[in-house]
Amino acid sequence: QVQLVESGGGLVQAGGSLRLSCAASGSVFSVSAMGWYRQAPGKQRELVARSSSTGNPAYVASVKGRFIISRDNAKNTLTLQMNSLKPEDTAVYYCNLAGTLGGTGPPDYWGQGTQVTVRS
């Protein structure tokens, strides 16, 4: 059983920063690729940043250079540092097991997510 709890979202002005955190329970975390997904109103959920089990990061083009994903396998935590935020980053952000960048993610284990709102 995997449980995921996201936190750290909020309201921020364009150009600002936020740091999201994900606390994971379950033994699969340290051996699995993990990622941050987002879902904007009326849009499909998409994987925007992923970290391999050993911490190798990858990003979709729209966030590359602005977002930084990191993980602590000893603490079962996943973090997303978001800089230079834009209004189009507004979405609910989730962490979960990571597949292909841009994908919608697995069918299970979704937490409640954390809302990020970027005001222009």
Side-chain angles (χ1 to χ4, degrees), residues 20-105:
L20 306 183
S21 295
C22 170
S25 65
S27 59
V28 300
F29 179 90
S30 63
V31 297
S32 301
M34 297 292 296
W36 285 97
Y37 298 77
R38 69 184 181 188
Q39 187 166 21
K43 294 189 176 182
Q44 202 169 32
R45 185 171 55 218
E46 64 167 342
L47 177 63
V48 298
R50 76 186 303 276
S51 173
S52 71
S53 60
T54 56
N56 189 38
Y59 308 93
V60 294
S62 59
V63 308
K64 195 171 186 179
R66 300 187 298 120
F67 290 10
I68 301 170
I69 188 171
S70 59
R71 65 191 294 163
D72 186 332
N73 287 342
K75 296 181 179 179
N76 274 16
T77 58
L78 186 73
T79 301
L80 186 68
Q81 177 67 41
M82 305 188 296
N83 302 318
S84 303
L85 282 161
K86 303 176 181 180
E88 51 264 43
D89 295 319
T90 295
V92 179
Y93 284 72
Y94 304 87
C95 66
N96 209 325
L97 302 173
T100 304
L101 284 173
T104 58

Side-chain angles (χ1 to χ4, degrees), residues 2-32:
V2 176
Q3 290 186 317
L4 301 161
V5 179
E6 302 91 348
S7 62
L11 174 64
V12 65
Q13 291 287 111
S17 298
L18 283 173
R19 187 177 179 86
L20 306 183
S21 295
C22 170
S25 65
S27 59
V28 300
F29 179 90
S30 63
V31 297
S32 301

